[in-house]
Amino acid sequence: MTAYPSITAQLDDPDAAREEGRRKMEWARQHMPILEALREEFEANQPFAGQRIAMAMHVEAKTANLVELLADGGAEVAITGCNPLSTHDDVSAALDAHDSIASYAVRGVDDDEYYEAIEAVIDVDPTVTVDDGMDLVAAVHEDYPELIDTILGGAEETTTGVHRLRAMDADGALEYPVFAVNDTPMKRLFDNVHGTGESSLASIAMTTNLSWAGKNVVVAGYGYCGKGVAKKASGQNANVVVTEVEPRRALEAHMEGYDVMPMGDAAEIGDVFVTTTGNRDVVVDEHFERMKDGVLLANAGHFDIEIDLDALDDKAVDRYEARDGVEAYEMADGRRLNVLAEGRLVNLAAPIALGHPVEVMDQSFGIQAVVVRELVENADDYGPGVHDVPDELDKEVAEIKLAAEGVDFDSLTDTQEEYMGSWQHGT
Ligand code: NAI
């Protein structure tokens, strides 16, 4: 199908890269007790023996530990990136050195290379797909439908991927079961909120060397990610302004004490703009017109279409790299609007970005791992379409994490359980 080379063939010094990648993975692994507990189970039981798993995810140290866990549980795994800028080449090289893993992820690929790498991954003839953004599911359905019969199912990591899958399902076009990993409490309430909040702010601060205190930070979208960004920015003494299109979320932000206003107004007062909508064209031409000199524009949503960079480029009389990861667009009136990480996920695609904190990804990837196990063990229970992750699996991962943290908690008595399940007890 394809002759696209794995990362090892694309690096000048793969040995050095592997060593550094392995070091990063080891550090993350020390802080991933959920994956460690599952590793013990998977190494002993080999639940994935004979399975071929195709993955398109952000290839960095935490993801790598999930990939290796699946491989050590018996699977043959092929992986590539789900964003051209989020791959850590050294980690990718470390994965590629594993006997049961081929990694095609390379940082900085162009569009053609990105999709060639997706094809190379599909070449494994997958029985399971694991996506972050749905690119694999789309490629299989559009270009390799003959593979669908042997695919047990898939798992989707992020909000945008789940949106796309639900749209595909509504059109009757999704031909195998896919679990909406994003939508579980153990993922969304922690990864999207705390993970995106902490890592986006850290990446912006490190990339610019600027302070949050006293800044007007405009957060576009008050969903799970937006809540995290707003909360953490507020915790760093910024004044948070929220823009929304959904009335209840706008009200929620208002009741949290944030200023809520249209982007047209926010554009005039913002110092930093962070988009988290999963939508397109959120910051556009008319907003650039009104912005102050020196503003920072960053995106934390999945695709690089939330800030209209083409319009910004058209307006600019000059454009230059102001810092590593910061592109200044100079307007005719002298104002400079600074775009971080080319408008791609700032917490993953900025040059120094590390992605979410390790502990958070341990939870998200714990869900991914048990969902793949569920697909392999009980595929017949799930028809084509998007499926919620069974609640017991989510709870299983929460319990592993609580045990690892040494947190004990109560359980229902028999009487309480009976009471909660009954409609007969009234006043
Ligand atoms: P969500 O659906 O909970 O929140 C999105 C919010 O944006 C909604 O409240 C929606 O009403 C609002 N919105 C939509 N269009 C808007 C517009 N034009 N102006 C203002 N608000 C608008 O989704 P969630 O979970 O917060 O995810 C958001 C995006 O972030 C998705 O693309 C998701 O894939 C991505 N994501 C990024 C992560 C990262 O590491 N940076 C981690 C997890 C998710």
Side-chain angles (χ1 to χ4, degrees):
M1 200 188 284
T2 173
Y4 190 75
S6 75
I7 177 120
T8 305
Q10 300 193 43
L11 293 179
D12 293 338
D13 189 352
D15 287 340
R18 255 178 234 135
E19 200 178 314
E20 180 54 18
R22 177 57 53 188
R23 204 162 71 108
K24 288 182 179 175
M25 284 172 66
E26 284 304 325
W27 172 258
R29 191 171 160 178
Q30 287 171 36
H31 302 274
M32 300 184 91
I34 300 171
L35 292 198
E36 281 307 283
L38 292 171
R39 176 179 286 275
E40 227 171 272
E41 176 195 324
F42 292 175
E43 280 182 349
N45 302 343
Q46 294 291 294
F48 310 126
Q51 302 298 327
R52 297 174 303 278
I53 304 180
M55 304 178 76
M57 306 200 86
H58 301 292
V59 178
E60 46 70 69
K62 284 100 62 183
T63 316
N65 283 318
L66 169 66
V67 177
E68 203 165 65
L69 171 66
L70 298 174
D72 291 344
E76 181 187 346
V77 185
I79 182 161
T80 184
C82 63
N83 181 299
L85 289 182
S86 63
T87 296
H88 289 217
D89 285 349
D90 46 12
V91 172
S92 182
L95 280 179
D96 201 39
H98 191 292
D99 282 346
S100 307
I101 301 171
S103 180
Y104 299 93
V106 180
R107 183 181 167 92
V109 286
D110 63 24
D111 271 7
D112 288 343
E113 291 164 328
Y114 181 84
Y115 287 106
E116 278 175 48
I118 294 252
E119 286 193 9
V121 161
I122 292 174
D123 205 21
V124 75
D125 193 1
T127 54
V128 173
T129 59
V130 181
D131 256 313
D132 187 327
M134 209 204 85
D135 283 346
L136 277 179
V137 170
V140 166
H141 282 73
E142 279 163 19
D143 303 324
Y144 304 97
E146 68 278 9
L147 300 181
I148 289 172
D149 270 357
T150 44
I151 295 181
L152 299 172
E156 171 55 52
E157 171 79 6
T158 199
T159 314
T160 285
V162 172
H163 277 170
R164 293 178 75 193
L165 285 163
R166 291 203 194 280
M168 197 173 169
D169 198 8
D171 280 349
L174 181 57
E175 294 187 41
Y176 62 81
V178 182
F179 280 115
V181 169
N182 177 74
D183 294 358
T184 61
M186 277 297 281
K187 197 275 182 184
R188 186 156 66 175
L189 297 179
F190 302 91
D191 173 317
N192 300 32
V193 178
H194 297 284
T196 309
E198 287 185 25
S199 62
S200 299
L201 290 201
S203 278
I204 294 169
M206 295 290 288
T207 304
T208 61
N209 198 19
L210 298 175
S211 165
W212 292 105
K215 293 263 190 333
N216 292 334
V217 175
V218 179
V219 181
Y222 197 66
Y224 291 92
C225 295
K227 279 174 198 168
V229 172
K231 188 181 177 68
K232 311 283 171 174
S234 174
Q236 301 245 39
N237 296 355
N239 309 310
V240 174
V241 174
V242 168
T243 72
E244 249 299 342
V245 292
E246 212 287 326
R248 290 154 301 182
R249 285 194 159 165
L251 184 58
E252 212 182 335
H254 170 69
M255 298 292 271
E256 281 296 324
Y258 303 125
D259 286 329
V260 179
M261 63 184 78
M263 182 58 84
D265 297 336
E268 289 183 3
I269 58 172
D271 298 304
V272 185
F273 295 78
V274 187
T275 52
T276 66
T277 70
N279 204 343
R280 59 175 307 145
D281 305 329
V282 178
V283 183
V284 296
D285 194 67
E286 63 186 276
H287 306 131
F288 302 139
E289 292 274 353
R290 304 168 80 168
M291 287 177 181
K292 299 192 281 191
D293 177 33
V295 296
L296 306 179
L297 302 173
N299 168 48
H302 191 75
F303 288 118
D304 59 342
I305 53 175
E306 304 212 12
I307 304 166
D308 187 352
L309 291 181
D310 290 339
L312 187 56
D313 195 34
D314 286 347
K315 285 187 104 56
V317 292
D318 191 14
R319 200 183 138 168
Y320 56 92
E321 191 182 52
R323 282 173 68 82
D324 207 12
V326 183
E327 186 82 356
Y329 291 72
E330 195 171 316
M331 304 290 106
D333 58 10
R335 287 175 305 130
R336 287 150 302 181
L337 314 187
N338 298 298
V339 175
L340 275 62
E342 301 176 21
R344 295 188 186 276
L345 291 159
V346 71
N347 58 326
L348 284 149
I352 46 79
L354 295 170
H356 287 2
V358 178
E359 299 91 328
V360 167
M361 293 319 294
D362 188 33
Q363 293 187 194
S364 303
F365 292 154
I367 304 291
Q368 288 282 8
V370 295
V371 155
V372 174
R373 185 190 63 193
E374 177 70 5
L375 281 170
V376 169
E377 287 176 353
N378 299 310
D380 291 346
D381 294 352
Y382 303 95
V386 180
H387 293 269
D388 290 334
V389 174
D391 216 33
E392 320 82 77
L393 297 185
D394 206 45
K395 283 186 185 159
E396 174 188 339
V397 173
E399 281 168 10
I400 298 174
K401 174 76 176 183
L402 285 167
E405 296 273 316
V407 177
D408 213 356
F409 65 110
D410 285 327
S411 42
L412 293 172
T413 62
D414 290 345
T415 321
Q416 287 170 333
E417 196 147 358
E418 191 257 311
Y419 175 78
M420 296 301 279
S422 149
W423 55 271
Q424 282 138 332
H425 300 285
T427 40

